[in-house]
Amino acid sequence: MKKLNVGLIGAGFMAKAHAMAYATMPMFFWPAPAIPVRKVIADITEEGAKIAAERFGFEKYTSDWRKIIEDPEIDIVDIVTPNDTHAEIAIAAAKAGKHIFCEKPIARTSEEAKKMYEAVTNAGVKNMLAFNYRRTPAVALAKKFIEEGAIGKILNFRGTYLQDWSADPSSPLSWRFQKSIAGLGTLGDIGTHVIDIARYLVGEFDEVVSMMNTYITERPIQEGVVDKLGTVKLEGSVKKGPVDVDDEASFMIKFKNGAVGSIEATRNGWGRNNFLTFEIHGEKGSIFFNYERRDELQVYFADDPVDRRGFRTIYTGPAHPYGEALWPIPALGIGYGETKIIECHDFIKSIIEDVEASPNFEDGYRISLICDAVVKSAEEKRWVKVDFGK
Amino acid sequence: MKKLNVGLIGAGFMAKAHAMAYATMPMFFWPAPAIPVRKVIADITEEGAKIAAERFGFEKYTSDWRKIIEDPEIDIVDIVTPNDTHAEIAIAAAKAGKHIFCEKPIARTSEEAKKMYEAVTNAGVKNMLAFNYRRTPAVALAKKFIEEGAIGKILNFRGTYLQDWSADPSSPLSWRFQKSIAGLGTLGDIGTHVIDIARYLVGEFDEVVSMMNTYITERPIQEGVVDKLGTVKLEGSVKKGPVDVDDEASFMIKFKNGAVGSIEATRNGWGRNNFLTFEIHGEKGSIFFNYERRDELQVYFADDPVDRRGFRTIYTGPAHPYGEALWPIPALGIGYGETKIIECHDFIKSIIEDVEASPNFEDGYRISLICDAVVKSAEEKRWVKVDFGK
Amino acid sequence: MKKLNVGLIGAGFMAKAHAMAYATMPMFFWPAPAIPVRKVIADITEEGAKIAAERFGFEKYTSDWRKIIEDPEIDIVDIVTPNDTHAEIAIAAAKAGKHIFCEKPIARTSEEAKKMYEAVTNAGVKNMLAFNYRRTPAVALAKKFIEEGAIGKILNFRGTYLQDWSADPSSPLSWRFQKSIAGLGTLGDIGTHVIDIARYLVGEFDEVVSMMNTYITERPIQEGVVDKLGTVKLEGSVKKGPVDVDDEASFMIKFKNGAVGSIEATRNGWGRNNFLTFEIHGEKGSIFFNYERRDELQVYFADDPVDRRGFRTIYTGPAHPYGEALWPIPALGIGYGETKIIECHDFIKSIIEDVEASPNFEDGYRISLICDAVVKSAEEKRWVKVDFGK
Amino acid sequence: MKKLNVGLIGAGFMAKAHAMAYATMPMFFWPAPAIPVRKVIADITEEGAKIAAERFGFEKYTSDWRKIIEDPEIDIVDIVTPNDTHAEIAIAAAKAGKHIFCEKPIARTSEEAKKMYEAVTNAGVKNMLAFNYRRTPAVALAKKFIEEGAIGKILNFRGTYLQDWSADPSSPLSWRFQKSIAGLGTLGDIGTHVIDIARYLVGEFDEVVSMMNTYITERPIQEGVVDKLGTVKLEGSVKKGPVDVDDEASFMIKFKNGAVGSIEATRNGWGRNNFLTFEIHGEKGSIFFNYERRDELQVYFADDPVDRRGFRTIYTGPAHPYGEALWPIPALGIGYGETKIIECHDFIKSIIEDVEASPNFEDGYRISLICDAVVKSAEEKRWVKVDFGK
């Protein structure tokens, strides 16, 4: 069985998720398209990298990510570092002919994204962005129903992504609140997941009108490099630094195919943890999904007999997308891990079968341009057409 | 105990709801502020009015609503006719010195609404609009929590009102789809309920940006005057007439107090029956309500201990607003009827205590102006400031 | 239109519910089978009765219920007094040839119940017990699906009725905790509702095995006759009296048709307000109902396509039982009132059409015998066959 | 960092779950108590074992499980074979001084279980049974709340485990339907999970009374050894074999500490996939859990202010048991995998720290004795005291 050597750049929470996926993907998808080998991991310090290698099961480690790019053994470069490093690493990796798997959002800006897209296009390497939520089996099932025409022509999409891990002003100033590192705030971090799903299920964006807000304008500065996602409270006489990105972005959408929609993304939605939801109204039915109850897809078919019509709560399992590979009965349960395992499989499959991965850097670039339109709309208080170039 | 004589104009579904309220309000609220007497009911035909009187328990009937206005015995004129008649009846009733209870929306246009508002102001009569949903105990509880500061300063309001009774193109062309009678479509019929709740819970509107759509542009013409709310299908070779109002209105809001929000109202949301919901994020907590599960209010308090934080599902009962008057334990159950009974009580109380009712015609007029802004925004594709005049 | 004169005996919470039903039934069910006239109401004191008459809209009042029995004008005697008076009143009413509508449970003991059953049988009067929950439209829809064979042969029934209004030891010693008045505790008060539903949906009981518990063995004595259902706390140095009925009854069931089941009824289920639920597994599907969300019935059809199978949440409305009479679209909302209005309609219809009402005193007597078996099983710690006599 | 060599016996669905846990446990729990090494895997055939080794990442493979027992390198023997082999393998492994991790139920009979328990006791090896559901973070949180006294003394426990993967008569006769292999049917397969949770949260069993049913008495014989858990339909003229175990077991419980309870386990609950639920009523509050929504624990605290009381839906995360090790924010999502990863960690920790694992073979033996009582009660139709010996 073919093997693909992976170099993982980054050693935080996302490294755990990706390492888990590489280690277990063939256990689920068997025969696997290829077996990923955890070859080398990079962290900022030699000591950190050494620990990461032991923890995440990599053969080698380095504190210099360029070593990975230069390593002829490496087939896949996987980027799980903060957003400010994506472009540099990805472009170098593309030039070195590596396939690239990159965490979302693609980069800080659409300019960076464009260069990354051009680099992978020129290099002819496979590339994928880790918008993992579209790979939740229930979301893939929604896609299937839509493609089968089960809910008819789509009229309306309403998406939300609500979190509260940083709703407390005493949660730390992680890099996610700093424009120089993150590029965007909530819009880039979680809003892009909903944009990805909207494009996946409905189609390309045409115009947007938006509001963006920053509710907590300064936060306590944390020591060290660990990104605790705000679950730590820093109280007392801590030093604070400015937040220069958005806490919340809300916008309405006109899709190119005539459908309309709205997206609300916030990190100040107390009580909502990972409340990624969408509701889609079609001419013949509706679909509702809430990631917090991710085993379930709710679907309404208007052509059911009138006294038997109601949203069906479908628990995904072997009868649904990816189901054969996962657990043998529904509701044994999909966790975050499973979404990454599926993602890993699909990317490796795209390499082996030499087909485009999805969503790829082009999708990431387009999402970046949509974000540009959202930001512009908020600043100029008007509808803005997304400029995808020619 | 004081009695107030009621003249009810209209004999459709809403007449049932109002008659039920008059008949039973003192059973619930005791001692009642006054006992409403079902004196006279008007319908279009003499025969219809006669049947309505027997069915709804009125002492007299008439096919000429002006008789009610002229009747010196009548204290309250209650208007449950289609929107095109509200202004004429209400203005006449005001001139005759009657207190006025009027179904929503106030009128077809803000011009009509303004005249109605001026008429009741000049006449000094009590006036109320039947935005009954704000009187759901759970909504009143939300109001109480907000006023107590339990969720802190409000940041964001997201309201929806989704229905599907007319999502089928073969459902009939009721008056609700005709601009000359209804004024507005979904926006006026159900969108105004959410606007009312948003004003009640958050505050006055400042600006809106909107999208409006008409998905089903013609519908089968139905015989007779009965408004079946589209639950009948008219199939085969029926004659069709044009729909000239909106099926769907979605808009974003900036409130005067700095909060933001969004509202989506549609009659094409398959599977959603009376899906009037709102979610409010405050600095210290969140509130969620769904009228389809109207006994419940979901509240999240950020200052709960970190391992015990979660949305509380509170079933309203004796410990909550209106609870003493209703049923002795929670979840015996609030239905549509109870919302109208409470409404009836509150209006009669306002008359007896000689205080302003709420929401009154001024509120209705303001909501009408907000609708004007929503329509204008959709037409001109831009943010529109609500013009409340000086 | 025919009229039926009602004499209502009792003036507490249930009097409100029944008076509401009489006042409004024809508004919903039109043309009504007959129009009930609120003729006379009885309470313990003259003063109480006078107030009740005004509040509940009765023409006359009395402090002597026998006056109602003797009144030749009265067609229907409606009994909403505590359980210890049911037998005496009902038997007298039967002898006087009145139709009888009686609150549940039928009586304190099966001996009383038997006499009541014999009395109405001998008198040939219509009789009904107010097990209103089976008249919730969603429960009636469950009945319809079962009769249509939609879920196949029934295998298993699991019912619960959980409340918490008396879970606090400081809630008062209402008559519901005194055997001499109530007969049974939780089993009689709410357990019988689930037994009624189980018999309605599944069939007759054969055997039971049970556990019964009294958790709070004494409670504060309350002043006055008002039954506050424990929502009041009596704290401090109040005098206490003994509780001599059950707080909780749990039992397993073998039905005569081979199905099995279980019922759990408690008043110590903190957080459950009126949690009357059932889940039924059949050979071809399942049904779930929770009265706290009474507009909804959840149904699963095993013959749906495998990738589209899931519990459907059906909101009852015009397409379902009683729906034409109630509200024009689903989820406008069924409250406690609507269940009583339907009940009132069905009883009056049985009188007019001269057919047996259901559930009638025979059903009540049988339920009483089932309760006997439950009690005996708990005492003797063994399976007990229900003795329905020959 | 210390390493422990694992020999895994069995290569089906459970092998996947266990292999995943060994591969990823240190990624989550870091520093790990020890690093498990996937040393050798056994399957029935050499070819099967070879594939399993590649798929699940084991260094070696064998078709003779005794080779693993004899291998001096092996520290942990992990048994994921059908029930009929547990005793023989476990006893041999104990004699060889291996620590033993065994899938549930412990064995086919309490006699086998007793021998296993004695074997590990005599050998002094660590032993654990894979009742993984008690390790769901939300279940562990329930345990914490109970231990803190947050819901007071426990009165009542109601557990269910409802599945439907074999509700269709055309699903195959897997070994789980054959007494000679499985020992018990639903009771052993899933009922024991609820018994484990009941013992964990409430306490030891004293008496039970039960009903057991086999609804589908013969099933199509499947070719091959793969256990498809009934998700395949075998239709047409297939040969059938008899089912000689229970499809459903329902029983009531008296716990030694005075609490009562009930458990219903079925594989004929259409629409329920992995519906492992419990509701616990205490003197001061209640807890509800449903594994199908396993990120959530619902808790009600009776001492909340009366107008703010309601079940809290707590999403488990970093603030809750195991939370630091898992994902950084709640609702990223716990799947089946996470429960096994936690289980793996806890067993390895018990080895390293030289403390008893829980639940261990003694627990398994006791659960087996409880099952004996349940079976006996169903056969003899009476309450049966669990005989735990001296």
Side-chain angles (χ1 to χ4, degrees), chain B residues 165-174 177 215-222 230 234 238-243 247 267-268:
Chain B
W165 57 263
S166 65
D168 191 319
S170 68
S171 74
L173 184 75
S174 103
F177 299 96
Y215 292 119
I216 299 171
T217 52
E218 57 174 24
R219 292 177 179 277
I221 295 171
Q222 63 181 339
L234 298 178
V238 290
K239 208 179 147 194
K240 293 193 174 184
V243 172
D247 284 331
R267 292 194 286 222
N268 288 264

Side-chain angles (χ1 to χ4, degrees), chain C residues 38-319:
Chain C
R38 283 164 286 159
K39 208 72 188 178
V40 53
I41 188 167
D43 198 3
I44 295 169
T45 65
E46 202 73 4
E47 178 59 18
K50 185 182 173 190
I51 292 171
E54 187 172 16
R55 177 176 180 183
F56 300 130
F58 281 77
E59 297 176 10
K60 301 187 292 183
Y61 60 88
T62 176
S63 63
D64 178 5
W65 60 264
R66 291 182 188 278
K67 291 269 172 58
I68 292 179
I69 305 292
E70 294 157 7
D71 187 341
E73 270 197 323
I74 295 299
D75 300 298
I76 295 169
V77 169
D78 183 347
I79 306 169
V80 295
T81 48
N83 306 348
D84 58 334
T85 60
H86 289 190
E88 186 180 9
I89 297 172
I91 292 167
K95 285 184 180 158
K98 310 299 190 194
H99 301 300
I100 307 171
F101 183 43
C102 183
E103 264 302 323
K104 39 54 56 185
I106 184 169
R108 286 174 296 186
T109 64
S110 57
E111 289 73 24
E112 286 185 342
K114 189 181 186 190
K115 286 176 192 157
M116 292 167 71
Y117 167 43
E118 289 169 350
V120 295
T121 305
N122 292 337
V125 296
K126 294 292 172 261
N127 51 95
M128 191 160 93
L129 284 165
F131 287 111
N132 60 308
Y133 293 118
R134 67 147 76 176
R135 285 186 156 85
T136 312
V139 178
L141 180 60
K143 174 74 169 173
K144 178 168 171 279
F145 284 146
I146 290 168
E147 289 186 343
E148 289 173 3
I151 64 162
K153 185 185 152 197
I154 293 177
L155 305 177
N156 198 320
F157 170 93
R158 182 174 67 258
T160 73
Y161 201 148
L162 314 181
Q163 295 186 329
D164 71 356
W165 57 264
S166 66
D168 191 319
S170 68
S171 73
L173 184 75
S174 103
W175 64 263
R176 293 170 197 268
F177 299 96
Q178 302 175 49
K179 187 173 183 177
S180 61
I181 308 177
L184 293 167
T186 293
L187 177 61
D189 191 28
I190 59 176
T192 52
H193 273 298
V194 196
I195 295 172
D196 177 62
I197 286 174
R199 292 179 75 246
Y200 177 58
L201 297 179
V202 183
E204 191 55 276
F205 284 44
D206 188 18
E207 294 180 89
V208 294
V209 64
S210 78
M211 299 186 295
M212 296 177 77
N213 286 291
T214 303
Y215 293 119
I216 300 171
T217 53
E218 57 173 25
R219 292 178 178 276
I221 294 171
Q222 62 181 339
E223 305 296 320
V225 294
V226 179
D227 178 20
K228 284 293 217 173
L229 280 188
T231 53
V232 176
K233 281 195 183 192
L234 298 178
E235 288 170 312
S237 57
V238 290
K239 210 179 144 193
K240 293 194 173 181
V243 171
D244 53 4
V245 297
D246 54 293
D247 284 333
E248 178 183 279
S250 302
F251 47 103
M252 296 198 300
I253 306 154
K254 298 194 181 194
F255 293 92
K256 283 183 183 292
N257 60 13
V260 297
S262 68
I263 290 178
E264 177 185 344
T266 187
R267 294 194 285 223
N268 288 262
W270 278 118
R272 300 306 184 188
N273 300 286
N274 206 41
F275 195 73
L276 170 54
T277 74
F278 58 81
E279 175 156 339
I280 300 177
H281 300 144
E283 284 189 342
K284 291 171 54 189
S286 294
I287 293 179
F288 176 77
F289 172 75
N290 172 4
Y291 180 82
E292 293 194 350
R293 292 175 169 175
R294 79 205 65 83
D295 288 302
E296 308 170 27
L297 187 72
Q298 293 196 39
V299 189
Y300 183 95
F301 299 118
D303 53 9
D304 275 337
V306 68
D307 67 342
R308 296 183 179 200
R309 291 200 298 208
F311 272 97
R312 303 178 187 193
T313 301
I314 300 173
Y315 278 81
T316 57

